[in-house]
Each structure stands twice: as C-alpha cells, then as structure tokens.
Amino acid sequence: AQTVTQSQPEMSVQEAETVTLSCTYDTSENNYYLFWYKQPPSRQMILVIRQEAYKQQNATENRFSVNFQKAAKSFSLKISDSQLGDTAMYFCAFMKHPHNNAGNMLTFGGGTRLMVKP
Amino acid sequence: DAGITQSPRHKVTETGTPVTLRCHQTENHRYMYWYRQDPGHGLRLIHYSYGVKDTDKGEVSDGYSVSRSKTEDFLLTLESATSSQTSVYFCAISERTGGRNEQFFGPGTRLTVL
C-alpha cells in the first residue's frame, strides 16, 4: 500500500513571495504518477500539476513547479509570485500505474492549508 | 471544466436511514470514483467503477455500496447511515487515453448524519 505524508498542516506567505509545500510518499512501485490538487473555499478539487515518475525533468505550470526527488520519495510544490487566489488547501496525491481494468486510484496526503497574505 | 454533477449537494439525514448520492457525467469517461473527505485525511477512495456494472472496493468501502447501470451515472448508497459517515463526498472521473490519466472531480456533496 502507498502512503502520502504532508508534514505542514498550515502555511502562510506574503503576496508576491515564493512558498514551498512539502510532500513525501512511500511506495514499492517504480512506475507511478504524482499530483498536486488545490481545493479553494469553494470546495472544488482543481488539478494544479502532474509528474510522471519516469521523467527526470521537473514539471512546471506557469507559477507552479515541482521538485521531484525519486530516490528520496519527495515531491514538493513551489508557488512563485503568490497571489491571493492561491489561498486554499493543497493536496499531494499518488497514483500507481494502472494494470488491466484497475482504475487510476489516487492516494492523498492530509493536505496543507495555505494562506496568502496581502 | 469536466461535466460532472453531484446530487444532492447537501443532505441532512438521521441515523439508520438509507441514503443515495448520485454522480452524473457528460464526458463518456470509463472510470468513475467515489471518495470521502474528512479533516486530516485528505480524500479516501470508497469504491470505483471501470465500466457499466463493473465496480470494485476502495480503501474505506465498509457500509457503502455502489451501482453503475449506465456509463454516465454512478450511485453511492449508504444502506443504513451512521454518524461516522458524516463527511463530504466527491465523485471523480478519468479516462486512460494516451497517458492522460488525471482525475476530474465533481463539486462534492456534504452529508450530515444526525
């Protein structure tokens, strides 16, 4: 079984600054995917960024980037130029490569609540 | 946005009563999932479906059943609701095509069992 740990329950950052959210995971799989989801107060789950484990290059999406360290089983999210709209819960999630009919099940961490201050 | 709706969006019920939550998609995706969200636990998988009439259990399936009679609908049933099933329930869909296997989530249903 996989486990995902987010060790920072809450974080805050000043608007326009950079913040890094931590995530570690435990798995015996070699082929898998990692995701960061954002959940604003509206409760909607929004995909922020994804990373394939076989790719060495870190994924980036505009102001969002990850630092993927496969050997260390670490997957942190960096948010640059933080904006007030980034205030949300952030969830790290793990998905092993699906086999046969198996769905793309996600294992989530407990979440980090990020507050962006003006 | 992925075409996923959940109904009802909010429900209050009493212990021992049956409850059915509905997830409807317009994307024709093969896979559908039910998760529950509780403080400190993130989202946890209850059941999932990999096709019409094809379902399997997830991490926290006890006390829940599911059915999928049509591609677009995935129902979650609590046969006899308990207070421990008070939670926010999310439906998700995915399609494994070309390696794009992200899950897209519905808006959630807040269920309170008194």
Side-chain angles (χ1 to χ4, degrees):
Chain A
Q2 286 68 230
T3 59
V4 179
T5 302
Q6 294 179 247
S7 59
Q8 305 151 313
E10 294 185 358
M11 295 190 72
S12 63
V13 63
Q14 291 295 131
E15 195 175 8
E17 294 189 346
T18 296
V19 64
T20 299
L21 309 183
S22 300
C23 173
T24 58
Y25 58 94
D26 187 24
T27 185
S28 58
E29 301 285 332
N30 187 53
N31 197 5
Y32 52 87
Y33 307 85
L34 295 162
F35 303 86
W36 279 97
Y37 280 88
K38 169 186 178 181
Q39 187 179 42
S42 67
R43 208 168 63 199
Q44 181 69 48
M45 293 290 288
I46 302 165
L47 178 66
V48 175
I49 200 166
R50 73 194 295 267
Q51 173 80 42
E52 293 90 340
Y54 65 86
K55 289 186 177 180
Q56 292 188 337
Q57 186 173 9
N58 289 323
T60 62
E61 288 287 343
N62 301 314
R63 297 183 295 107
F64 299 88
S65 62
V66 298
N67 183 3
F68 173 49
Q69 301 289 329
K70 190 172 183 179
K73 297 180 180 175
S74 171
F75 183 60
S76 61
L77 174 70
K78 185 172 81 171
I79 306 174
S80 304
D81 186 25
S82 297
Q83 300 175 0
L84 296 178
D86 295 333
T87 292
M89 283 289 288
Y90 287 82
F91 292 98
C92 178
F94 172 99
M95 176 193 293
K96 66 180 182 181
H97 188 78
H99 300 283
N100 301 321
N101 285 323
N104 310 327
M105 282 81 78
L106 287 167
T107 300
F108 285 86
T112 295
R113 185 177 302 279
L114 177 67
M115 173 73 71
V116 180
K117 299 179 179 179
Chain B
D1 289 344
I4 312 168
T5 56
Q6 293 184 229
S7 59
R9 295 291 312 280
H10 303 271
K11 185 170 182 67
V12 179
T13 190
E14 294 189 350
T15 298
T17 59
V19 176
T20 296
L21 308 182
R22 179 179 182 241
C23 176
H24 179 79
Q25 60 148 330
T26 58
E27 306 296 320
N28 201 36
H29 281 10
R30 178 182 178 188
Y31 299 92
M32 299 185 76
Y33 312 81
W34 277 108
Y35 292 88
R36 61 177 288 173
Q37 183 178 20
D38 304 293
H41 288 280
L43 279 72
R44 292 179 292 174
L45 182 68
I46 304 171
H47 282 279
Y48 72 97
S49 169
Y50 50 94
V52 173
K53 299 190 189 308
D54 292 323
T55 65
D56 205 349
K57 296 179 179 180
E59 178 188 356
V60 290
S61 59
D62 287 348
Y64 302 94
S65 63
V66 290
S67 64
R68 192 171 178 196
S69 60
K70 298 184 291 185
T71 298
E72 58 266 35
D73 289 326
F74 192 34
L75 304 181
L76 176 71
T77 298
L78 292 65
E79 299 290 347
S80 178
T82 67
S83 58
S84 65
Q85 293 176 312
T86 292
S87 188
V88 179
Y89 291 86
F90 285 93
C91 174
I93 64 174
S94 71
E95 187 62 72
R96 290 162 52 187
T97 55
R100 303 296 298 183
N101 53 12
E102 295 97 318
Q103 291 189 17
F104 300 95
F105 286 82
T109 294
R110 181 176 292 279
L111 176 67
T112 302
V113 183
L114 301 176

mmCIF file of all heavy atoms in Angstrom, chain A residues 63-107:
data_model
loop_
_atom_site.group_PDB
_atom_site.id
_atom_site.type_symbol
_atom_site.label_atom_id
_atom_site.label_comp_id
_atom_site.label_asym_id
_atom_site.label_seq_id
_atom_site.Cartn_x
_atom_site.Cartn_y
_atom_site.Cartn_z
ATOM 1 N N ARG A 63 3.215 29.566 -12.715
ATOM 2 C CA ARG A 63 3.868 29.913 -11.452
ATOM 3 C C ARG A 63 4.116 28.703 -10.552
ATOM 4 O O ARG A 63 4.714 28.853 -9.471
ATOM 5 C CB ARG A 63 3.008 30.925 -10.697
ATOM 6 C CG ARG A 63 2.821 32.256 -11.413
ATOM 7 C CD ARG A 63 2.015 33.229 -10.566
ATOM 8 N NE ARG A 63 0.639 32.789 -10.346
ATOM 9 C CZ ARG A 63 0.180 32.329 -9.189
ATOM 10 N NH1 ARG A 63 0.980 32.258 -8.138
ATOM 11 N NH2 ARG A 63 -1.074 31.957 -9.065
ATOM 12 N N PHE A 64 3.652 27.548 -10.963
ATOM 13 C CA PHE A 64 3.753 26.346 -10.149
ATOM 14 C C PHE A 64 4.822 25.416 -10.720
ATOM 15 O O PHE A 64 4.852 25.165 -11.926
ATOM 16 C CB PHE A 64 2.411 25.617 -10.110
ATOM 17 C CG PHE A 64 1.293 26.414 -9.509
ATOM 18 C CD1 PHE A 64 0.531 27.263 -10.301
ATOM 19 C CD2 PHE A 64 1.015 26.332 -8.157
ATOM 20 C CE1 PHE A 64 -0.501 28.017 -9.746
ATOM 21 C CE2 PHE A 64 -0.016 27.071 -7.598
ATOM 22 C CZ PHE A 64 -0.776 27.915 -8.394
ATOM 23 N N SER A 65 5.677 24.916 -9.848
ATOM 24 C CA SER A 65 6.682 23.955 -10.270
ATOM 25 C C SER A 65 6.891 22.950 -9.152
ATOM 26 O O SER A 65 6.517 23.196 -7.999
ATOM 27 C CB SER A 65 7.993 24.654 -10.622
ATOM 28 O OG SER A 65 8.520 25.329 -9.487
ATOM 29 N N VAL A 66 7.457 21.811 -9.514
ATOM 30 C CA VAL A 66 7.699 20.787 -8.504
ATOM 31 C C VAL A 66 9.182 20.478 -8.444
ATOM 32 O O VAL A 66 9.939 20.728 -9.394
ATOM 33 C CB VAL A 66 6.905 19.494 -8.800
ATOM 34 C CG1 VAL A 66 5.405 19.771 -8.786
ATOM 35 C CG2 VAL A 66 7.349 18.857 -10.107
ATOM 36 N N ASN A 67 9.569 19.937 -7.282
ATOM 37 C CA ASN A 67 10.908 19.381 -7.115
ATOM 38 C C ASN A 67 10.707 17.901 -6.798
ATOM 39 O O ASN A 67 10.337 17.544 -5.678
ATOM 40 C CB ASN A 67 11.654 20.087 -5.989
ATOM 41 C CG ASN A 67 13.075 19.567 -5.844
ATOM 42 O OD1 ASN A 67 13.535 18.715 -6.621
ATOM 43 N ND2 ASN A 67 13.790 20.060 -4.860
ATOM 44 N N PHE A 68 10.913 17.071 -7.803
ATOM 45 C CA PHE A 68 10.676 15.641 -7.692
ATOM 46 C C PHE A 68 12.006 14.940 -7.458
ATOM 47 O O PHE A 68 12.916 14.989 -8.294
ATOM 48 C CB PHE A 68 10.021 15.120 -8.975
ATOM 49 C CG PHE A 68 9.882 13.630 -9.048
ATOM 50 C CD1 PHE A 68 9.343 12.918 -7.984
ATOM 51 C CD2 PHE A 68 10.270 12.941 -10.182
ATOM 52 C CE1 PHE A 68 9.191 11.544 -8.064
ATOM 53 C CE2 PHE A 68 10.129 11.563 -10.272
ATOM 54 C CZ PHE A 68 9.592 10.868 -9.210
ATOM 55 N N GLN A 69 12.109 14.306 -6.304
ATOM 56 C CA GLN A 69 13.316 13.561 -5.938
ATOM 57 C C GLN A 69 12.895 12.099 -5.759
ATOM 58 O O GLN A 69 12.441 11.712 -4.680
ATOM 59 C CB GLN A 69 13.913 14.116 -4.651
ATOM 60 C CG GLN A 69 14.293 15.584 -4.709
ATOM 61 C CD GLN A 69 15.506 15.826 -5.571
ATOM 62 O OE1 GLN A 69 16.391 14.966 -5.661
ATOM 63 N NE2 GLN A 69 15.552 16.975 -6.240
ATOM 64 N N LYS A 70 13.059 11.301 -6.812
ATOM 65 C CA LYS A 70 12.533 9.939 -6.785
ATOM 66 C C LYS A 70 13.203 9.080 -5.729
ATOM 67 O O LYS A 70 12.546 8.314 -5.014
ATOM 68 C CB LYS A 70 12.680 9.281 -8.164
ATOM 69 C CG LYS A 70 11.939 7.959 -8.290
ATOM 70 C CD LYS A 70 11.956 7.437 -9.701
ATOM 71 C CE LYS A 70 11.137 6.144 -9.819
ATOM 72 N NZ LYS A 70 11.123 5.612 -11.210
ATOM 73 N N ALA A 71 14.503 9.177 -5.615
ATOM 74 C CA ALA A 71 15.219 8.338 -4.646
ATOM 75 C C ALA A 71 14.799 8.673 -3.215
ATOM 76 O O ALA A 71 14.674 7.794 -2.369
ATOM 77 C CB ALA A 71 16.720 8.507 -4.816
ATOM 78 N N ALA A 72 14.579 9.925 -2.968
ATOM 79 C CA ALA A 72 14.177 10.373 -1.637
ATOM 80 C C ALA A 72 12.665 10.267 -1.434
ATOM 81 O O ALA A 72 12.172 10.505 -0.330
ATOM 82 C CB ALA A 72 14.622 11.811 -1.404
ATOM 83 N N LYS A 73 11.917 9.939 -2.499
ATOM 84 C CA LYS A 73 10.452 9.861 -2.454
ATOM 85 C C LYS A 73 9.878 11.169 -1.931
ATOM 86 O O LYS A 73 9.067 11.190 -0.972
ATOM 87 C CB LYS A 73 9.993 8.654 -1.645
ATOM 88 C CG LYS A 73 10.443 7.346 -2.275
ATOM 89 C CD LYS A 73 9.996 6.119 -1.488
ATOM 90 C CE LYS A 73 10.495 4.856 -2.187
ATOM 91 N NZ LYS A 73 10.197 3.636 -1.423
ATOM 92 N N SER A 74 10.303 12.228 -2.570
ATOM 93 C CA SER A 74 9.883 13.562 -2.181
ATOM 94 C C SER A 74 9.322 14.293 -3.394
ATOM 95 O O SER A 74 9.846 14.177 -4.502
ATOM 96 C CB SER A 74 11.075 14.331 -1.605
ATOM 97 O OG SER A 74 10.772 15.682 -1.407
ATOM 98 N N PHE A 75 8.265 15.080 -3.167
ATOM 99 C CA PHE A 75 7.570 15.741 -4.272
ATOM 100 C C PHE A 75 7.030 17.065 -3.752
ATOM 101 O O PHE A 75 5.875 17.169 -3.346
ATOM 102 C CB PHE A 75 6.451 14.838 -4.775
ATOM 103 C CG PHE A 75 5.684 15.361 -5.965
ATOM 104 C CD1 PHE A 75 6.317 15.629 -7.157
ATOM 105 C CD2 PHE A 75 4.305 15.559 -5.892
ATOM 106 C CE1 PHE A 75 5.606 16.102 -8.259
ATOM 107 C CE2 PHE A 75 3.581 16.030 -6.976
ATOM 108 C CZ PHE A 75 4.235 16.305 -8.165
ATOM 109 N N SER A 76 7.838 18.111 -3.766
ATOM 110 C CA SER A 76 7.408 19.393 -3.218
ATOM 111 C C SER A 76 6.870 20.306 -4.318
ATOM 112 O O SER A 76 7.246 20.194 -5.475
ATOM 113 C CB SER A 76 8.571 20.073 -2.492
ATOM 114 O OG SER A 76 9.639 20.316 -3.383
ATOM 115 N N LEU A 77 5.994 21.201 -3.906
ATOM 116 C CA LEU A 77 5.361 22.161 -4.822
ATOM 117 C C LEU A 77 5.853 23.557 -4.484
ATOM 118 O O LEU A 77 5.750 23.985 -3.333
ATOM 119 C CB LEU A 77 3.837 22.117 -4.684
ATOM 120 C CG LEU A 77 3.051 23.160 -5.476
ATOM 121 C CD1 LEU A 77 3.133 22.870 -6.979
ATOM 122 C CD2 LEU A 77 1.589 23.202 -5.019
ATOM 123 N N LYS A 78 6.364 24.258 -5.476
ATOM 124 C CA LYS A 78 6.788 25.638 -5.307
ATOM 125 C C LYS A 78 5.817 26.561 -6.032
ATOM 126 O O LYS A 78 5.535 26.363 -7.221
ATOM 127 C CB LYS A 78 8.205 25.858 -5.832
ATOM 128 C CG LYS A 78 8.730 27.267 -5.552
ATOM 129 C CD LYS A 78 10.205 27.418 -5.905
ATOM 130 C CE LYS A 78 10.425 27.635 -7.365
ATOM 131 N NZ LYS A 78 11.854 28.002 -7.650
ATOM 132 N N ILE A 79 5.321 27.545 -5.283
ATOM 133 C CA ILE A 79 4.440 28.542 -5.875
ATOM 134 C C ILE A 79 5.202 29.870 -5.884
ATOM 135 O O ILE A 79 5.589 30.376 -4.825
ATOM 136 C CB ILE A 79 3.126 28.696 -5.078
ATOM 137 C CG1 ILE A 79 2.440 27.337 -4.917
ATOM 138 C CG2 ILE A 79 2.202 29.695 -5.759
ATOM 139 C CD1 ILE A 79 1.212 27.366 -4.014
ATOM 140 N N SER A 80 5.444 30.380 -7.058
ATOM 141 C CA SER A 80 6.160 31.647 -7.209
ATOM 142 C C SER A 80 5.170 32.794 -7.356
ATOM 143 O O SER A 80 4.043 32.601 -7.828
ATOM 144 C CB SER A 80 7.074 31.595 -8.440
ATOM 145 O OG SER A 80 7.969 30.515 -8.363
ATOM 146 N N ASP A 81 5.605 33.998 -6.947
ATOM 147 C CA ASP A 81 4.754 35.180 -7.095
ATOM 148 C C ASP A 81 3.347 34.897 -6.564
ATOM 149 O O ASP A 81 2.347 35.038 -7.280
ATOM 150 C CB ASP A 81 4.702 35.595 -8.570
ATOM 151 C CG ASP A 81 3.963 36.892 -8.805
ATOM 152 O OD1 ASP A 81 3.887 37.713 -7.870
ATOM 153 O OD2 ASP A 81 3.431 37.082 -9.919
ATOM 154 N N SER A 82 3.266 34.487 -5.309
ATOM 155 C CA SER A 82 1.994 34.069 -4.724
ATOM 156 C C SER A 82 0.921 35.139 -4.876
ATOM 157 O O SER A 82 1.191 36.348 -4.724
ATOM 158 C CB SER A 82 2.188 33.757 -3.236
ATOM 159 O OG SER A 82 3.064 32.674 -3.057
ATOM 160 N N GLN A 83 -0.281 34.689 -5.171
ATOM 161 C CA GLN A 83 -1.426 35.589 -5.329
ATOM 162 C C GLN A 83 -2.502 35.245 -4.308
ATOM 163 O O GLN A 83 -2.563 34.115 -3.817
ATOM 164 C CB GLN A 83 -1.970 35.454 -6.755
ATOM 165 C CG GLN A 83 -0.949 35.796 -7.829
ATOM 166 C CD GLN A 83 -1.462 35.554 -9.235
ATOM 167 O OE1 GLN A 83 -2.585 35.120 -9.450
ATOM 168 N NE2 GLN A 83 -0.610 35.842 -10.222
ATOM 169 N N LEU A 84 -3.349 36.214 -4.023
ATOM 170 C CA LEU A 84 -4.407 35.998 -3.035
ATOM 171 C C LEU A 84 -5.279 34.806 -3.422
ATOM 172 O O LEU A 84 -5.762 34.062 -2.564
ATOM 173 C CB LEU A 84 -5.258 37.253 -2.888
ATOM 174 C CG LEU A 84 -4.528 38.487 -2.344
ATOM 175 C CD1 LEU A 84 -5.473 39.689 -2.286
ATOM 176 C CD2 LEU A 84 -3.933 38.217 -0.971
ATOM 177 N N GLY A 85 -5.464 34.599 -4.703
ATOM 178 C CA GLY A 85 -6.275 33.485 -5.183
ATOM 179 C C GLY A 85 -5.630 32.129 -4.986
ATOM 180 O O GLY A 85 -6.276 31.099 -5.220
ATOM 181 N N ASP A 86 -4.382 32.107 -4.542
ATOM 182 C CA ASP A 86 -3.725 30.828 -4.250
ATOM 183 C C ASP A 86 -4.108 30.301 -2.872
ATOM 184 O O ASP A 86 -3.773 29.168 -2.526
ATOM 185 C CB ASP A 86 -2.198 30.985 -4.326
ATOM 186 C CG ASP A 86 -1.707 31.325 -5.727
ATOM 187 O OD1 ASP A 86 -2.405 30.956 -6.706
ATOM 188 O OD2 ASP A 86 -0.643 31.949 -5.841
ATOM 189 N N THR A 87 -4.782 31.130 -2.070
ATOM 190 C CA THR A 87 -5.243 30.688 -0.760
ATOM 191 C C THR A 87 -6.166 29.490 -0.916
ATOM 192 O O THR A 87 -7.190 29.567 -1.603
ATOM 193 C CB THR A 87 -5.976 31.829 -0.034
ATOM 194 O OG1 THR A 87 -5.022 32.851 0.289
ATOM 195 C CG2 THR A 87 -6.638 31.324 1.245
ATOM 196 N N ALA A 88 -5.777 28.357 -0.304
ATOM 197 C CA ALA A 88 -6.525 27.113 -0.496
ATOM 198 C C ALA A 88 -5.868 26.005 0.311
ATOM 199 O O ALA A 88 -4.796 26.187 0.888
ATOM 200 C CB ALA A 88 -6.523 26.714 -1.981
ATOM 201 N N MET A 89 -6.549 24.853 0.334
ATOM 202 C CA MET A 89 -5.918 23.611 0.774
ATOM 203 C C MET A 89 -5.217 23.001 -0.431
ATOM 204 O O MET A 89 -5.759 23.008 -1.543
ATOM 205 C CB MET A 89 -6.966 22.634 1.292
ATOM 206 C CG MET A 89 -7.489 22.914 2.670
ATOM 207 S SD MET A 89 -6.292 22.578 3.965
ATOM 208 C CE MET A 89 -6.258 20.779 3.927
ATOM 209 N N TYR A 90 -4.029 22.467 -0.187
ATOM 210 C CA TYR A 90 -3.289 21.801 -1.263
ATOM 211 C C TYR A 90 -3.056 20.343 -0.863
ATOM 212 O O TYR A 90 -2.571 20.060 0.232
ATOM 213 C CB TYR A 90 -1.956 22.514 -1.524
ATOM 214 C CG TYR A 90 -2.146 23.826 -2.232
ATOM 215 C CD1 TYR A 90 -2.483 24.979 -1.529
ATOM 216 C CD2 TYR A 90 -2.021 23.905 -3.614
ATOM 217 C CE1 TYR A 90 -2.693 26.182 -2.188
ATOM 218 C CE2 TYR A 90 -2.209 25.106 -4.282
ATOM 219 C CZ TYR A 90 -2.549 26.242 -3.563
ATOM 220 O OH TYR A 90 -2.758 27.435 -4.212
ATOM 221 N N PHE A 91 -3.380 19.464 -1.781
ATOM 222 C CA PHE A 91 -3.239 18.040 -1.536
ATOM 223 C C PHE A 91 -2.245 17.428 -2.515
ATOM 224 O O PHE A 91 -2.338 17.649 -3.731
ATOM 225 C CB PHE A 91 -4.586 17.319 -1.694
ATOM 226 C CG PHE A 91 -5.593 17.665 -0.651
ATOM 227 C CD1 PHE A 91 -6.574 18.613 -0.896
ATOM 228 C CD2 PHE A 91 -5.556 17.045 0.594
ATOM 229 C CE1 PHE A 91 -7.508 18.939 0.071
ATOM 230 C CE2 PHE A 91 -6.499 17.358 1.567
ATOM 231 C CZ PHE A 91 -7.463 18.309 1.303
ATOM 232 N N CYS A 92 -1.329 16.663 -1.964
ATOM 233 C CA CYS A 92 -0.429 15.861 -2.754
ATOM 234 C C CYS A 92 -1.084 14.489 -2.941
ATOM 235 O O CYS A 92 -1.736 13.977 -2.017
ATOM 236 C CB CYS A 92 0.902 15.721 -1.999
ATOM 237 S SG CYS A 92 2.159 14.714 -2.778
ATOM 238 N N ALA A 93 -0.941 13.902 -4.118
ATOM 239 C CA ALA A 93 -1.605 12.615 -4.377
ATOM 240 C C ALA A 93 -0.710 11.721 -5.218
ATOM 241 O O ALA A 93 0.038 12.206 -6.084
ATOM 242 C CB ALA A 93 -2.944 12.832 -5.068
ATOM 243 N N PHE A 94 -0.835 10.418 -4.971
ATOM 244 C CA PHE A 94 -0.033 9.396 -5.634
ATOM 245 C C PHE A 94 -0.947 8.477 -6.424
ATOM 246 O O PHE A 94 -2.039 8.118 -5.962
ATOM 247 C CB PHE A 94 0.704 8.592 -4.560
ATOM 248 C CG PHE A 94 1.435 7.383 -5.069
ATOM 249 C CD1 PHE A 94 2.797 7.440 -5.302
ATOM 250 C CD2 PHE A 94 0.784 6.179 -5.294
ATOM 251 C CE1 PHE A 94 3.483 6.326 -5.765
ATOM 252 C CE2 PHE A 94 1.458 5.063 -5.759
ATOM 253 C CZ PHE A 94 2.808 5.139 -5.991
ATOM 254 N N MET A 95 -0.502 8.090 -7.610
ATOM 255 C CA MET A 95 -1.248 7.126 -8.410
ATOM 256 C C MET A 95 -0.266 6.127 -8.996
ATOM 257 O O MET A 95 0.653 6.527 -9.714
ATOM 258 C CB MET A 95 -1.999 7.830 -9.553
ATOM 259 C CG MET A 95 -2.728 6.896 -10.496
ATOM 260 S SD MET A 95 -3.281 7.733 -12.001
ATOM 261 C CE MET A 95 -4.497 8.831 -11.318
ATOM 262 N N LYS A 96 -0.446 4.856 -8.719
ATOM 263 C CA LYS A 96 0.430 3.884 -9.355
ATOM 264 C C LYS A 96 -0.061 3.618 -10.769
ATOM 265 O O LYS A 96 -1.226 3.841 -11.091
ATOM 266 C CB LYS A 96 0.520 2.601 -8.544
ATOM 267 C CG LYS A 96 -0.744 1.788 -8.449
ATOM 268 C CD LYS A 96 -0.475 0.534 -7.611
ATOM 269 C CE LYS A 96 -1.708 -0.347 -7.534
ATOM 270 N NZ LYS A 96 -1.455 -1.554 -6.713
ATOM 271 N N HIS A 97 0.861 3.170 -11.600
ATOM 272 C CA HIS A 97 0.498 2.914 -12.985
ATOM 273 C C HIS A 97 -0.566 1.836 -13.032
ATOM 274 O O HIS A 97 -0.372 0.754 -12.477
ATOM 275 C CB HIS A 97 1.720 2.482 -13.787
ATOM 276 C CG HIS A 97 1.463 2.389 -15.250
ATOM 277 N ND1 HIS A 97 1.418 3.492 -16.068
ATOM 278 C CD2 HIS A 97 1.205 1.327 -16.042
ATOM 279 C CE1 HIS A 97 1.172 3.110 -17.306
ATOM 280 N NE2 HIS A 97 1.035 1.805 -17.320
ATOM 281 N N PRO A 98 -1.703 2.089 -13.664
ATOM 282 C CA PRO A 98 -2.799 1.128 -13.649
ATOM 283 C C PRO A 98 -2.508 -0.125 -14.474
ATOM 284 O O PRO A 98 -1.860 -0.052 -15.497
ATOM 285 C CB PRO A 98 -3.967 1.911 -14.231
ATOM 286 C CG PRO A 98 -3.340 2.990 -15.045
ATOM 287 C CD PRO A 98 -2.045 3.316 -14.370
ATOM 288 N N HIS A 99 -3.027 -1.250 -13.970
ATOM 289 C CA HIS A 99 -2.883 -2.511 -14.673
ATOM 290 C C HIS A 99 -4.254 -3.077 -14.980
ATOM 291 O O HIS A 99 -5.158 -2.983 -14.162
ATOM 292 C CB HIS A 99 -2.100 -3.514 -13.813
ATOM 293 C CG HIS A 99 -0.726 -3.043 -13.464
ATOM 294 N ND1 HIS A 99 0.314 -3.074 -14.350
ATOM 295 C CD2 HIS A 99 -0.232 -2.497 -12.331
ATOM 296 C CE1 HIS A 99 1.408 -2.597 -13.760
ATOM 297 N NE2 HIS A 99 1.096 -2.242 -12.544
ATOM 298 N N ASN A 100 -4.415 -3.677 -16.163
ATOM 299 C CA ASN A 100 -5.672 -4.301 -16.573
ATOM 300 C C ASN A 100 -6.838 -3.332 -16.415
ATOM 301 O O ASN A 100 -6.787 -2.216 -16.894
ATOM 302 C CB ASN A 100 -5.893 -5.604 -15.788
ATOM 303 C CG ASN A 100 -4.782 -6.580 -16.004
ATOM 304 O OD1 ASN A 100 -4.275 -6.713 -17.110
ATOM 305 N ND2 ASN A 100 -4.372 -7.248 -14.936
ATOM 306 N N ASN A 101 -7.880 -3.755 -15.685
ATOM 307 C CA ASN A 101 -9.046 -2.902 -15.525
ATOM 308 C C ASN A 101 -8.928 -1.937 -14.358
ATOM 309 O O ASN A 101 -9.828 -1.141 -14.135
ATOM 310 C CB ASN A 101 -10.297 -3.759 -15.298
ATOM 311 C CG ASN A 101 -10.760 -4.422 -16.572
ATOM 312 O OD1 ASN A 101 -10.686 -3.834 -17.648
ATOM 313 N ND2 ASN A 101 -11.242 -5.644 -16.474
ATOM 314 N N ALA A 102 -7.842 -2.032 -13.634
ATOM 315 C CA ALA A 102 -7.714 -1.199 -12.444
ATOM 316 C C ALA A 102 -7.816 0.266 -12.808
ATOM 317 O O ALA A 102 -7.214 0.717 -13.775
ATOM 318 C CB ALA A 102 -6.389 -1.476 -11.752
ATOM 319 N N GLY A 103 -8.572 0.961 -12.034
ATOM 320 C CA GLY A 103 -8.724 2.388 -12.272
ATOM 321 C C GLY A 103 -7.492 3.143 -11.826
ATOM 322 O O GLY A 103 -6.524 2.589 -11.340
ATOM 323 N N ASN A 104 -7.544 4.434 -12.015
ATOM 324 C CA ASN A 104 -6.429 5.298 -11.656
ATOM 325 C C ASN A 104 -6.631 5.812 -10.245
ATOM 326 O O ASN A 104 -6.849 6.991 -10.015
ATOM 327 C CB ASN A 104 -6.355 6.470 -12.636
ATOM 328 C CG ASN A 104 -6.386 5.997 -14.062
ATOM 329 O OD1 ASN A 104 -5.884 4.940 -14.389
ATOM 330 N ND2 ASN A 104 -7.004 6.783 -14.916
ATOM 331 N N MET A 105 -6.554 4.921 -9.265
ATOM 332 C CA MET A 105 -6.869 5.321 -7.897
ATOM 333 C C MET A 105 -5.820 6.263 -7.338
ATOM 334 O O MET A 105 -4.625 6.050 -7.514
ATOM 335 C CB MET A 105 -6.983 4.095 -6.985
ATOM 336 C CG MET A 105 -8.285 3.364 -7.129
ATOM 337 S SD MET A 105 -8.308 2.263 -8.532
ATOM 338 C CE MET A 105 -7.370 0.904 -7.892
ATOM 339 N N LEU A 106 -6.283 7.255 -6.654
ATOM 340 C CA LEU A 106 -5.415 8.230 -6.026
ATOM 341 C C LEU A 106 -5.331 7.978 -4.536
ATOM 342 O O LEU A 106 -6.338 7.712 -3.886
ATOM 343 C CB LEU A 106 -5.945 9.644 -6.260
ATOM 344 C CG LEU A 106 -5.799 10.220 -7.666
ATOM 345 C CD1 LEU A 106 -6.642 11.467 -7.818
ATOM 346 C CD2 LEU A 106 -4.341 10.522 -7.971
ATOM 347 N N THR A 107 -4.116 8.110 -3.998
ATOM 348 C CA THR A 107 -3.895 8.120 -2.554
ATOM 349 C C THR A 107 -3.458 9.532 -2.191
ATOM 350 O O THR A 107 -2.464 10.033 -2.729
ATOM 351 C CB THR A 107 -2.822 7.112 -2.148
ATOM 352 O OG1 THR A 107 -3.232 5.805 -2.538
ATOM 353 C CG2 THR A 107 -2.616 7.149 -0.639
#
